[in-house]
Amino acid sequence: MRGSGPLEGSVRVEGAKNSVLKLMAASLMADGRSVLRNVPHIVDVEIMSDLLTSMGANVRRTEDHVLTIDVGPDLIAEAPYELVEQMRASIAVLGPLLARAGFARVALPGGDNFGPRPIDMHIAGLEALGVEFHSAHGYIEARCDQLTGNRVVLEFPSVGATENLLMAAVRAKGTTVIDNAAREPEIADLCAFLVRMGARIVGGGTSSIEIEGVDELSPVDHTVIPDRIEAGTFLAALGVAGGEITLEGARADHMDMLIRKLGDMGMRVSPSSDGVWAQSKGRIRAADVSTLPYPGIATDYKPFFVAMLAVAEGVGIVTENLFSGRFRYVDELVRMGADIRTEGHHAVVRGRPRLSGAPVRAPDIRAGAALVVAGLGADGETTVMDAHHIARGYEHFADKLAAVGAHVTPS
Ligand code: EPU
């Protein structure tokens, strides 16, 4: 891509990756046909489809952005290494398999580009519901004759642990309370899906969720919430390139803190009749940013802030509070002329008027997209290699940017 701007026009925001993957896993809990709408065309959905298929479900795209999942009575309760290795979110099948079959064999996910990512909170929470774990040969085996409700206090509001516990608790005997639960909109979406299936849940989307176990669940038809991270990516592109865009289908109420911070940086972002409207005039101003669990600023937005700050007026400090190794793309931005120094969980970014286009390598989904965003503020040409990472979480990313006037061509 080349330096671009101003951006002008409208971009459609797809369904949320981090919601749809969990809803697909949750579909395993009811026999029959579930229908998911607003499902993005992204590689991670394909990987989750392969995983459900390997377990015996029938997963098909019946229409554009519509996925049907047929689940029969006989499921193979196993998530093989070849698929878990490709996508850590595969661990989301653990809770549903336990709820359904009282047994699950799931390959242990390894570390990734974010550093080590343990699943100890998933395990401790499920143990409190009566599950026994054994690990051997790179797999964990979880077993339980009868899931039993309990009070679980999470050490940290982990998204994945909250989801696995929720899904198991829905079929447990008695009442489960998850305290210090994650509050992300994707958790509220999962709760809405489960309630529609017949679950009894109060407090989804708050830090205390109460679940009363039920004996039976039925398949449902559900529309996935919009992807707040995809929306944030386009807002960052606007911050770097300037202009005025509408994000069709986006929800401003899922991005409160992000919108406030972008306001501090000089952008205007507000809800509109069909989504979110945003404008960026002149050079954005630097601000300090700290990532926190929702409703704080998501860790997934962090590479976009670093890219924006690289061309902002002034100095901004970015602090990562969730993952240990999430500054790996910084070296790539430095190769584009950005002035960034990292120290532990902090990055100090001194804005430059322009970056300088260079060949760079995408280390993961979000950082890959952030390198594209940075390229919009660079003189000359930027080539993002390993761009296949971006396709894991974004539908037609380059085409969508090009449609609002960015000089981007897909590789
Ligand atoms: N953690 C533990 N033990 C656990 C679980 C988590 O120590 O048992 C730690 C993690 O290592 C991390 C922190 O707790 O330091 C937060 O992890 P969390 O469980 O909340 O994250 P996750 O469920 O693995 C999801 C998203 C991520 C997003 C994080 C944080 C999906 C598929 N992934 O991961 O999104 O960054 O929540 O909001 O939902 C992405 O979309 O590219 C992505 C990585």
Side-chain angles (χ1 to χ4, degrees), residues 17-18 21-22 88-89 114 116-122 156-161 163 184 299-300 322-324 326 365-366:
K17 167 178 88 72
N18 290 347
L21 297 176
K22 321 308 168 59
R88 285 186 50 93
F114 303 159
R117 290 176 72 183
I119 53 164
D120 53 318
M121 283 186 255
H122 301 236
F156 178 89
S158 153
V159 171
E163 291 165 338
E184 271 70 2
T299 177
D300 309 78
L322 272 80
F323 290 104
S324 49
R326 266 195 139 179
I365 306 176
R366 307 298 170 197

Side-chain angles (χ1 to χ4, degrees), residues 341-355:
R341 276 191 302 149
T342 56
E343 177 66 51
H345 286 210
H346 308 282
V348 180
V349 190
R350 279 168 221 282
R352 293 239 160 104
R354 298 290 290 170
L355 298 178

